[in-house]
Amino acid sequence: MPYILFCMIPAPAMSRNPDTLERQRFDVLIVGGGINGAGLARDLALRGLQVALVDKGDFACGTSSASTKLIHGGLRYLENFDFGLVFEACRERQVLQRIAPHLVRPLRFYIPVYRGDRRPFWMIRAGMVLYDLLALMRNTGHHSVLTPRRALAREPALIADGLRGVAAYWDCAMDDARLCLENVIAAAEAGATVANYMRLAGFSMKDGRIVGAELIDEESGREFGVEAEIVVNMTGPWLDQVRAMAGDHEPMLRTTRGAHIMVPRINRGDEAIYLSTAEDNRLFFVIPWGELSLVGTTDTDTDQPPEEAVATDEDIDYLLAATRRHLHGTELSRDSIVSTFAGLRPLVADTRDTASNVSREHRVFESASGLFSVGGGKYTTYRAVAEEVAGRIVSRLGRGRGESRTANLGLPGGVDFTNIGKRLSEKSTLSAGMVERLFGRYGARATELVALAEAEPRLTEPIVTGSELTWIEVDYAVCCEQARTPEDVLRRRTDVALKQGRGLAELEAIAERMQQLLAVDEDTKQQWKWEYEARYSHIGRS
C-alpha cells in the first residue's frame, strides 16, 4: 500500500467536522445534500450568509446520483407546450457548460423516424426548429436532418426497414454525482459548513416557529442541536416526511420511479439515440457511456420509500424490449446487464395525469412554522431554482447580497479550465492517459492530484490488478471530498460501481485503506463491506 502524502496539502475546506455545527448560529440550515440543496448552499454562501448543509446519507446519495445523466433543454416538454421550462432549461444548459465544462459536455442526439410513427417527420423537424429558437440559437450545434443512408453509415445499430430519416440535435451529457459534489465543495470554499451522514431528528421550536434542528451524527451516534434563523427542506422525495416533522401533514409530492440499465456498448457512433417504446410511446435514451451504453428512463408512479428505489424486474424487461425493438445486432437479455440504478422524482402533486404529462417545474412551500420546502424541478435547472430560493431567503432575512453570482463564477473544477488543462498536458510527467482521466473527473482541481502523484508515483498504481481506480483517487476522495464509506468512493466520487465488476474486486482494498485513513475499528470496516456486497452483488439492487 503506497505511502499517504496528504500532509503535503492544506486542510481542505470540506473537512467533515460536525462539532462546528454547535459552535455557531447559522443564518440558514439546509437539510438535504442533493443537487438542489448543494446549489442553494453555494448560492447563499456566496451572498455572505452563514450556511450549514447536511444530509442523512452521502451527498447525492438519492435521486441526484440516479438521473439519466443529461443536461438538456427538455425537447419532449414541447409536446406539453411547456415553453417557459424549455427556454429556462436551454439557458441553464449554456450556463452549466460555462461553469462546469469538465462535467457538462456537448452530446449529439439522433431521433430516428420510421414509417407509421405517431410523431411524423414533419413534426420532429418543426420541434427541432422551435427548440433552436427557444435556445436563442445558443445551442452547441444547430439541428440537422440525415437521410437514412447517411444515418445508417453513422449509426449502424439503427434498424433500416421503414426508416424515413434521422433528426440530429445537441444537448449535454454530465456526471450527476460529481456535479452535485462540486456544488458542495464550492459552498464549503465560500464558507458554508457541510457534513454528510447527519440525520434530522426533529426541529427546535419557539413560539410556533422553527429556530433550529436536532441532528444525529450517524457515525458517532451523538446528537447535535443546531441553531438557524431559517431552515430549508431540500430533501427531494423525502420532502413530505420532513414537512410532517414540522406539523404539515398534507402530502405535496407525487413520486415517480426512473430506472436505468447499463449494458455493453450499443451505440456504434458517439451519438445518443432518442427512441420511443411500443407499449406506451414513451421516449427514452440510449446514451454512450465509455465501454457501456446507458438505457433509460422509465417513469412509473410509485409509493415505495425513496431509500428502496431500485430497478424492478418490470422496469428491466420494459427497457430491454424497447431497445430490441429499435436496434438490431443488440442481443440484449438479463445476462447482458452490467448494472442498474433507479431514483424517485419528487414531482409536485398538482395532477393525477399520466407521468409523462406532468411538468417538472418546481414549487416553493413556506409552512406556518417558517420551514421552506422546495419540490419538483430537474437537474438542468437546479442553479436557477437555487437563485430564486436564495433571493427569497435574503429578502426575508434582510441581509446578504441581493444578486446571485453562481451563473458567472465557475465551479471549483471549472475555474480557468482550458488554460489549466493545457498546462497539465504539456508539463506533467504522468502518462497522458492518467492526466486526461484526472482532468476529466476533477477539472482544474486535477492540479492537486497531479502534484501529489508526481511527488509519489506509487499513488498512481491501481488499487488492485486490472482496476482503473488508483490509490490517489481513493485518498483524495476520503481526505478532500468527505467520502466516508467505500460506496461513497465507488458510486459517487467515481462511477466504478456502475461498470463491469461493480467495484466488488476493489472493495476489500478500499475498505482497508479507508479504515486506515478514518481510523475506524474492524467492525465498521466489515459493516461497510457487508452493506456494499448486499447492494451491488445482484442486478436490480442499486
Side-chain angles (χ1 to χ4, degrees):
M1 187 176 291
Y3 179 66
I4 301 170
L5 290 180
F6 282 93
C7 58
M8 296 176 56
I9 63 174
M14 201 172 149
S15 296
R16 185 180 188 275
N17 185 5
D19 290 341
T20 60
L21 291 167
E22 283 195 318
R23 294 176 186 163
Q24 60 179 308
R25 187 174 192 278
F26 295 95
D27 296 314
V28 184
L29 167 64
I30 302 166
V31 180
I35 186 60
N36 284 326
L40 179 61
R42 179 193 183 218
D43 193 304
L44 289 171
L46 287 170
R47 294 179 192 238
L49 297 178
Q50 295 297 309
V51 180
L53 172 69
V54 298
D55 194 286
K56 70 174 183 177
D58 188 25
F59 303 116
C61 68
T63 306
S64 292
S65 58
S67 76
T68 312
K69 307 187 189 307
L70 297 176
I71 296 296
H72 62 99
L75 177 64
R76 73 181 183 85
Y77 302 144
L78 293 178
E79 290 189 320
N80 299 334
F81 304 103
D82 286 335
F83 299 136
L85 182 59
V86 175
F87 178 82
E88 179 186 49
C90 287
R91 182 196 69 214
E92 289 301 304
R93 180 185 59 198
Q94 184 183 44
V95 169
L96 295 178
Q97 285 180 265
R98 182 171 65 246
I99 67 174
H102 58 307
L103 299 175
V104 180
R105 302 182 180 96
L107 178 63
R108 198 182 195 197
F109 289 74
Y110 282 169
I111 304 179
V113 181
Y114 289 88
R115 189 182 305 112
D117 279 357
R118 186 174 73 86
R119 300 174 181 88
F121 207 47
W122 67 264
M123 181 184 295
I124 299 295
R125 295 189 67 171
M128 295 288 100
V129 172
L130 182 56
Y131 199 52
D132 282 347
L133 290 174
L134 287 171
L136 301 180
M137 308 308 285
R138 296 176 298 193
N139 289 334
T140 301
H142 300 314
H143 80 275
S144 59
V145 174
L146 281 67
T147 64
R149 177 178 295 180
R150 287 183 59 202
L152 292 169
R154 291 292 300 270
E155 185 48 83
L158 294 173
I159 291 176
D161 187 31
L163 183 64
R164 300 289 303 276
V166 168
Y169 74 100
W170 291 84
D171 266 324
C172 292
M174 60 99 173
D175 186 329
D176 51 6
R178 291 209 65 88
L179 183 57
C180 179
L181 183 67
E182 282 273 322
N183 278 271
V184 177
I185 293 169
E189 290 183 349
T193 299
V194 301
N196 51 7
Y197 296 98
M198 299 293 295
R199 175 166 54 89
L200 176 68
F203 292 110
S204 304
M205 310 288 290
K206 182 178 181 180
D207 299 326
R209 302 285 290 181
I210 292 175
V211 293
E214 299 298 321
L215 304 174
I216 297 176
D217 183 354
E218 294 283 33
E219 293 187 348
S220 68
R222 180 182 167 194
E223 187 166 322
F224 293 81
V226 180
E227 296 183 34
E229 192 159 342
I230 292 177
V231 178
V232 185
N233 173 13
M234 286 285 208
T235 55
W238 289 272
L239 190 89
D240 283 338
Q241 295 178 31
V242 174
R243 290 179 63 253
M245 296 171 72
D248 298 320
H249 298 286
E250 180 185 359
M252 290 295 179
L253 289 188
R254 171 190 179 185
T255 54
T256 69
R257 184 177 62 252
H260 307 77
I261 59 176
M262 304 288 276
V263 297
R265 183 72 174 254
I266 297 172
N267 311 71
R268 314 290 170 78
D270 293 326
E271 296 81 12
I273 308 172
Y274 202 173
L275 303 169
S276 62
T277 62
E279 55 187 89
D280 57 8
N281 211 39
R282 174 171 169 73
L283 296 167
F284 72 102
F285 299 99
V286 178
I287 302 168
W289 197 260
E291 296 180 354
L292 304 176
S293 288
L294 186 160
V295 181
T297 179
T298 61
D299 204 352
T300 309
D301 278 303
T302 180
D303 294 324
Q304 69 184 142
E307 54 271 14
E308 296 178 10
V310 296
T312 65
D313 290 342
E314 292 77 11
D315 293 332
I316 293 170
D317 290 340
Y318 175 92
L319 292 171
L320 288 174
T323 307
R324 288 193 297 257
R325 171 177 175 252
H326 279 289
L327 304 176
H328 72 78
T330 55
E331 304 299 326
L332 291 181
S333 68
R334 284 181 170 273
D335 292 338
S336 309
I337 298 174
V338 173
S339 62
T340 68
F341 61 94
L344 301 190
R345 301 179 185 88
L347 307 180
V348 178
D350 284 338
T351 178
R352 297 306 301 178
D353 289 342
T354 59
S356 61
N357 290 328
V358 176
S359 173
R360 266 49 176 173
E361 292 189 73
H362 71 281
R363 282 185 55 188
V364 182
F365 308 99
E366 189 171 350
S367 303
S369 62
L371 178 69
F372 273 86
S373 298
V374 182
K378 50 183 273 187
Y379 227 111
T380 304
T381 55
Y382 85 85
R383 193 212 60 83
V385 171
E387 181 176 329
E388 176 193 327
V389 176
R392 291 177 62 162
I393 289 172
V394 166
S395 178
R396 186 206 268 190
L397 289 172
R399 59 181 178 276
R401 300 185 187 94
E403 297 296 323
S404 175
R405 300 170 57 197
T406 58
N408 299 310
L409 186 63
L411 287 165
V415 175
D416 202 19
F417 176 77
T418 302
N419 290 334
I420 288 175
K422 184 178 180 182
R423 288 198 297 272
L424 283 176
S425 62
E426 291 176 349
K427 297 181 179 180
S428 175
T429 59
L430 301 182
S431 70
M434 183 69 179
V435 171
E436 182 179 358
R437 195 159 67 82
L438 293 177
F439 188 62
R441 176 172 293 147
Y442 303 97
R445 295 193 298 122
T447 55
E448 297 175 6
L449 289 93
V450 169
L452 291 169
E454 289 177 337
E456 178 48 72
R458 288 178 295 172
L459 288 170
T460 64
E461 295 173 2
I463 63 171
V464 294
T465 302
S467 176
E468 68 175 49
L469 194 60
T470 61
W471 291 110
I472 194 168
E473 293 165 282
V474 176
D475 287 7
Y476 194 80
V478 175
C479 298
C480 298
E481 295 184 335
Q482 217 169 114
R484 310 299 291 182
T485 73
E487 184 180 13
D488 297 346
V489 175
L490 291 165
R491 178 64 176 87
R492 289 173 288 276
R493 304 308 181 275
T494 71
D495 58 1
V496 174
L498 296 180
K499 297 179 177 178
Q500 293 283 0
R502 313 197 76 190
L504 293 166
E506 291 89 347
L507 178 59
E508 174 63 37
I510 290 179
E512 200 170 308
R513 181 67 150 195
M514 294 185 72
Q515 180 184 23
Q516 177 187 6
L517 292 170
L518 297 176
V520 300
D521 58 28
E522 186 67 18
D523 287 346
T524 299
K525 171 189 164 185
Q526 293 303 322
Q527 182 72 12
W528 288 340
K529 291 169 58 181
W530 181 86
E531 290 177 354
Y532 191 89
E533 289 168 347
R535 188 170 179 85
Y536 292 94
S537 292
H538 305 285
I539 295 297
R541 297 296 298 277
S542 60

